[in-house]
Amino acid sequence: MKVMMQIMKSVFALWLVSMSCAWADASTVTSVRISEGAEGLRLVIDLDKATVFRYFTLEHPDRVVVDLTDAKMKTSLPKAMDTRGVLKSIRTAPRNANDRRIVLDVNAGVKAKAFAIVATEHSSHRLIVELVSVAIPTPAPVPVPVPTVAVKPLRDIVVAIDAGHGGEDPGARGHSGTWEKNVALQISKQIAGRLSKEVGMRAVLVRDGDYFVSLRERMARARREKADLFVSIHADAFNDASARGSSVYVLSDRGASDEASRWLAERENAADLVGGVTLDTKDDVLASVLLDLSQT
């Protein structure tokens, strides 16, 4: 009997040591953040060390499940603040003695992908979960015969409202700490709302949230909407509070020259810049003159 008790004590001691070692090697979730991107929602899970993970989707109800191996939580989950109709709620619970499960309750037609980012000098280990809403095809409506209209109605004038900066490009900062990107976005939304109330006009926002859009992509989005006018909204900061008036943007000679050189190097893309005239059959001198006239 004494020998059996001694064996049991030894086994229990070994179990405690193994459990403490396993827990010491466990990773810790230090932060969980939600941000909105150009196409959907992004969940960022910060960890103090790398961990093995897996993710999968379930239906009825629709949800995305993320399992973290040997992980523990030392932070609370954010509220599901989602304006794109992708995420309903987020919750977490232990999966077993060591693992942690995070469940994202989503709407139907949501596509998910997840990937890990190794820690750098300025950031911790991160697990990124991206949610994108996939359009669900709807049955085609039954055609209804309509009378032929003799007069063809005019199309709406489309105005692209471009809120400057965004995301990791905050722009200028005001005296009270206000960032230009937020001011420009609020102004853009108000302008778009007022324009859309005008008969025969339609406003589109190039950027409708706090995320980064490159200058070329801003132009491309306006062209995809077939915009007739492109208005870029910025808000300058100035050291002298007595300053009054407006800022005027001037194209520099060097900038114009660099832009012309870039378009000449990509001649097949230059048609839009010179009003639809292709430069494929023009020599460099004539192409340069046409570009210079267009920019001037």
Side-chain angles (χ1 to χ4, degrees):
M1 187 67 178
K2 291 182 178 180
V3 173
M4 181 61 69
M5 290 296 295
Q6 185 63 35
I7 292 174
M8 291 180 64
K9 289 180 179 179
S10 300
V11 171
F12 182 69
L14 288 173
W15 180 80
L16 286 177
V17 171
S18 64
M19 288 300 292
S20 62
C21 292
W23 190 253
D25 293 335
S27 59
T28 301
V29 178
T30 59
S31 173
V32 180
R33 296 171 282 124
I34 295 176
S35 63
E36 292 187 354
E39 297 182 352
L41 204 70
R42 169 174 284 191
L43 181 75
V44 181
I45 303 173
D46 294 303
L47 303 108
D48 65 343
K49 62 182 65 176
T51 186
V52 177
F53 75 94
R54 67 166 186 159
Y55 75 102
F56 54 91
T57 58
L58 297 173
E59 296 180 343
H60 309 298
D62 294 278
R63 56 201 185 276
V64 178
V65 179
V66 181
D67 286 338
L68 305 177
T69 303
D70 289 334
K72 55 183 179 179
M73 295 286 294
K74 275 199 172 180
T75 184
S76 58
L77 294 176
K79 295 182 180 179
M81 299 296 292
D82 176 21
T83 61
R84 298 179 181 271
V86 175
L87 182 63
K88 291 181 179 178
S89 62
I90 178 172
R91 47 198 167 91
T92 184
R95 182 170 174 265
N96 51 40
N98 299 322
D99 301 341
R100 169 65 58 167
R101 169 166 289 183
I102 298 176
V103 180
L104 309 175
D105 297 303
V106 298
N107 289 306
V110 172
K111 184 178 180 181
K113 66 176 180 179
F115 55 92
I117 299 178
V118 180
T120 65
E121 182 181 353
H122 304 290
S123 63
S124 61
H125 293 279
R126 285 173 291 167
L127 174 61
I128 309 296
V129 182
E130 293 184 341
L131 305 176
V132 179
S133 180
V134 180
I136 302 176
T138 56
V142 178
V144 178
V146 294
T148 304
V149 180
V151 180
K152 184 179 179 180
L154 298 175
R155 70 171 180 84
D156 290 345
I157 296 175
V158 181
V159 182
I161 309 297
D162 174 46
H165 304 279
E168 60 264 32
D169 175 23
R173 190 171 188 178
H175 178 70
S176 61
T178 304
W179 287 111
E180 180 181 2
K181 64 177 183 179
N182 298 326
V183 175
L185 181 60
Q186 292 300 318
I187 293 175
S188 298
K189 288 182 176 180
Q190 292 187 36
I191 293 175
R194 294 185 64 176
L195 281 179
S196 296
K197 294 179 182 179
E198 296 291 331
V199 177
M201 300 190 73
R202 181 171 68 91
V204 294
L205 288 171
V206 174
R207 174 174 72 87
D208 60 357
D210 184 16
Y211 49 85
F212 176 78
V213 182
S214 67
L215 296 178
R216 293 289 165 197
E217 178 59 20
R218 293 171 190 265
M219 296 164 55
R221 292 186 181 188
R223 284 173 175 165
R224 286 196 295 267
E225 294 289 343
K226 301 186 185 305
D228 301 286
L229 184 65
F230 183 93
V231 180
S232 187
I233 304 299
H234 287 263
D236 294 345
F238 201 69
N239 294 328
D240 186 359
S242 65
R244 294 293 183 271
S246 303
S247 299
V248 178
Y249 177 85
V250 179
L251 183 65
S252 69
D253 292 337
R254 179 176 179 181
S257 176
D258 291 345
E259 185 71 352
S261 299
R262 195 188 73 82
W263 279 99
L264 284 172
E266 300 176 2
R267 183 169 299 183
E268 66 275 11
N269 297 325
D272 288 343
L273 187 61
V274 291
V277 178
T278 178
L279 301 183
D280 290 346
T281 58
K282 310 298 187 296
D283 60 31
D284 288 346
V285 175
L286 179 56
S288 178
V289 171
L290 289 173
L291 286 169
D292 182 67
L293 288 173
S294 175
Q295 290 182 316
T296 304

